[in-house]
Amino acid sequence: MNPTITLLFILSLTLGTTITMTSTHWLLAWAGLEMNTLAIIPIIAKQHHPRATEAATKYFLIQATASTLILFSSTINAWKTGQWDISQLSTPESTTMLTLALAMKLGLAPLHLWLPEVLQGSTLPTAMIITTWQKLAPMALLLLTFNNLNHQILITLGLASALLGGWSGLNQTQTRKIMAFSSIAHMGWLFMALTISPNITLITLLIYLLITSTLFTMLITTSSKTLLDLGTTLHHTPNLLITSLLTLMSLGGLPPLTGFMPKWLILSALITDNKTLISMIMALSTLPSLFFYLRMSQMTTLTLSPKTTPTQHKWRFKTPITPATPMIILSALLLPLTPLILNLT
């Protein structure tokens, strides 16, 4: 694709998300979501490959359906209350429909089946955009309607996503599908955080975006699309691989890494709110995810011969991206700053 055209689509993508995040009127928010969707479709389909075309088609159908439900829920609310303001969403049917529509956009279970297939048909940079930037606009709408959401629906969707995201990723060998199921599980934690506090939700979202972006940056640098590809990187970029394994452990929520912070805050708040059973299920749901992260680490570093290939430089390695170093440090070492972060929010 022509670089100018690609830049135009990226700017449209950014503008659509910005319009949704800054609007207070439902029609403006819907228009921003539509602009966002129409900008990402050509980026997904730019490979001119049947898998990419299939991924773009699936993404378009799912996002169009979710946007229609959002417009329908806001219209019902305006019909019953006379309010088009986003924060004034108050009727039960509207809030339920909006929650399910945004869950579909974010890829929460049981509306998650599109996400692994779309990521598998996309390039690694496009997959990173879908799992990070594309989460911002729906999460902004959830935060704006935070006080009116049905907590029972949020808890049900959160539990289902955390459990299914972990179990479904166990047998995967494609890194993009592993990241898709990781995203599904983390969206479950985000929905659980929505039942507690908008501040904890914001912290959870920012840390998820940071760690996922860091891991995708390293996968893009080494062009690792499968676990087998990861296995050939040890002797060529050992430092990058070791730090990527730390990032994986952080994504799984292993203490004392950064990823443990949001899980710790959410579980602590659930126990304080006398939701001990839910907190126990959420804690156990992280074990399958942690298992396949550990399996990635084990297959990458512990099951190889001392030297796999005679070449010193593989053609698929790129120059490491400059922001990778601070991103890796933040992805692994932010846990001691938890009190400061809580005070800032």
Side-chain angles (χ1 to χ4, degrees):
M1 188 183 289
N2 188 301
T4 307
I5 301 299
T6 304
L7 179 62
L8 179 63
F9 286 135
I10 294 293
L11 289 175
S12 300
L13 192 70
T14 307
L15 181 61
T17 303
T18 306
I19 289 172
T20 302
M21 291 175 68
T22 56
S23 60
T24 57
H25 196 284
W26 275 115
L27 287 181
L28 271 177
W30 174 79
L33 289 172
E34 288 301 296
M35 184 184 296
N36 183 282
T37 301
L38 292 175
I40 193 75
I41 296 298
I43 297 175
I44 298 173
K46 69 179 179 181
Q47 290 175 282
H48 302 294
H49 187 275
R51 286 298 295 268
T53 307
E54 179 189 348
T57 305
K58 287 179 178 176
Y59 189 83
F60 171 74
L61 292 174
I62 290 294
Q63 299 298 316
T65 304
S67 294
T68 305
L69 285 174
I70 290 170
L71 190 61
F72 189 38
S73 69
S74 60
T75 305
I76 289 176
N77 186 72
W79 176 41
K80 291 199 169 186
T81 65
Q83 292 288 338
W84 281 99
D85 193 280
I86 292 177
S87 60
Q88 300 300 319
L89 191 76
S90 55
T91 58
E93 54 270 29
S94 297
T95 54
T96 301
M97 201 178 304
L98 176 75
T99 305
L100 292 176
L102 293 177
M104 187 185 296
K105 273 190 169 292
L106 290 167
L108 273 93
L111 308 167
H112 67 288
L113 295 175
W114 63 272
L115 185 59
E117 299 302 320
V118 169
L119 289 198
Q120 186 59 27
S122 310
T123 61
L124 282 169
T126 307
M128 182 173 74
I129 293 173
I130 293 171
T131 53
T132 54
W133 182 263
Q134 295 297 88
K135 308 292 186 187
L136 292 177
M139 282 307 303
L141 291 178
L142 284 170
L143 287 170
L144 285 169
T145 56
F146 171 80
N147 293 320
N148 301 317
L149 297 176
N150 187 321
H151 283 199
Q152 296 301 320
I153 296 175
L154 293 176
I155 289 173
T156 304
L157 291 172
L159 283 172
S161 298
L163 290 168
L164 281 174
W167 283 105
S168 303
L170 288 176
N171 292 325
Q172 301 300 326
T173 58
Q174 301 285 330
T175 54
R176 283 167 293 182
K177 281 198 172 183
I178 288 173
M179 295 305 296
F181 287 114
S182 169
S183 174
I184 292 165
H186 280 84
M187 289 302 107
W189 282 90
L190 267 172
F191 262 50
M192 197 60 67
L194 274 169
T195 66
I196 301 165
S197 160
N199 292 342
I200 293 178
T201 306
L202 193 58
I203 291 171
T204 306
L205 176 64
L206 292 176
I207 289 177
Y208 162 75
L209 294 176
L210 170 67
I211 300 175
T212 304
S213 301
T214 305
L215 198 53
F216 264 113
T217 299
M218 289 183 278
L219 292 175
I220 292 166
T221 303
T222 58
S223 299
S224 299
K225 296 181 180 178
T226 65
L227 295 184
L228 184 62
D229 291 340
L230 274 176
T232 62
T233 62
L234 179 63
H235 301 294
H236 301 282
T237 54
N239 294 332
L240 186 63
L241 187 68
I242 290 167
T243 51
S244 68
L245 300 184
L246 275 177
T247 308
L248 275 171
M249 296 301 100
S250 183
L251 194 61
L254 194 70
L257 302 172
T258 302
F260 178 64
M261 185 201 301
K263 293 179 172 58
W264 174 28
L265 295 173
I266 292 168
L267 293 177
S268 175
L270 286 173
I271 292 170
T272 304
D273 202 27
N274 292 323
K275 295 175 181 174
T276 311
L277 180 61
I278 293 173
S279 64
M280 186 175 68
I281 295 171
M282 290 298 291
L284 291 174
S285 72
T286 62
L287 294 178
S289 299
L290 196 56
F291 172 79
F292 63 71
Y293 296 139
L294 284 169
R295 190 187 63 166
M296 286 175 71
S297 309
Q298 187 257 351
M299 290 180 67
T300 305
T301 58
L302 301 179
T303 59
L304 299 173
S305 58
K307 191 67 175 175
T308 54
T309 58
T311 57
Q312 293 299 318
H313 302 285
K314 293 183 73 65
W315 62 270
R316 60 190 180 84
F317 290 134
K318 303 177 179 67
T319 304
I321 302 171
T322 307
T325 303
M327 288 170 69
I328 291 166
I329 294 170
L330 292 174
S331 298
L333 303 175
L334 272 184
L335 186 62
L337 299 179
T338 303
L340 176 63
I341 293 170
L342 285 175
N343 288 333
L344 289 174
T345 56

